[in-house]
Structure formats: structure tokens, C-alpha cells
Amino acid sequence: MTIRLVLADDHVLVRQGLRKLLESAGFVVAGEATDGREAVRLVHIENPDLAVIDIGMPQFNGLNAALELTRSHPHVRLIVLTQHDESR
């Protein structure tokens, strides 16, 4: 069974790296988004099995997108990515 996904991150290099990694593992990337609003739109169009979403995106962030997708597409599984910068 092939798993189709939408990938959402505002950093091009991160999206490219994740896409390469996921496709090499047998996943199919059905679309890429640069913000949460675009991610929601792509999920609506592509109807993937999974959405990989960065929390820290501009305009409509990943948490807002995840909440919207949970309501509008409850069958789509979500993986939410984040990064923590800590200076000591």
C-alpha cells in the first residue's frame, strides 16, 4: 500500500530534503505547501493519507492548519514538525 502525503514547510531546503527522504522510503508526495492555508487547500484537493506540517510557518501556522485539518479531514493523519532554538 502506497502512502500519499502533503508536505508543508516554509523552508525550501527542508521540504526538498524531507521529500527526498520520504520518497526514498516509498511514500508519494502529492503536494508541497509553504504555509498552513496552502496545506489545508492541498489536503482538500489531494485527499492524502498523511500531512507532514511544520508548526512555525508564516500567515496561517502549522498548529492552525492541524486544527483545521482535524475538523475538516479527520481521516488524514498528521505529523507536526518543530524546531527548538535554545541559547545558553
Side-chain angles (χ1 to χ4, degrees):
M1 178 181 172
T2 302
I3 297 174
R4 296 177 66 251
L5 64 95
V6 165
L7 183 57
D9 195 297
D10 58 319
H11 297 95
V12 175
L13 291 176
V14 172
R15 281 196 325 271
Q16 289 173 343
L18 284 171
R19 181 180 197 122
K20 189 171 188 171
L21 179 69
L22 291 165
E23 287 178 339
S24 71
F27 293 88
V28 172
V29 178
E32 294 182 22
T34 59
D35 64 47
R37 188 75 63 205
E38 188 177 7
V40 171
R41 182 185 65 78
L42 278 174
V43 167
H44 179 70
I45 292 168
E46 297 294 336
N47 196 30
D49 304 297
L50 174 68
V52 179
I53 301 174
D54 177 30
I55 285 179
M57 292 185 289
Q59 298 170 19
F60 193 73
N61 69 37
L63 287 178
N64 290 332
L67 289 171
E68 174 66 28
L69 290 172
T70 300
R71 287 190 291 262
S72 64
H73 295 82
H75 66 282
V76 176
R77 300 293 184 195
L78 301 174
I79 295 177
V80 180
L81 304 176
T82 188
Q83 157 185 311
H84 178 71
D85 290 328
E86 183 178 316
S87 59
R88 289 185 179 212

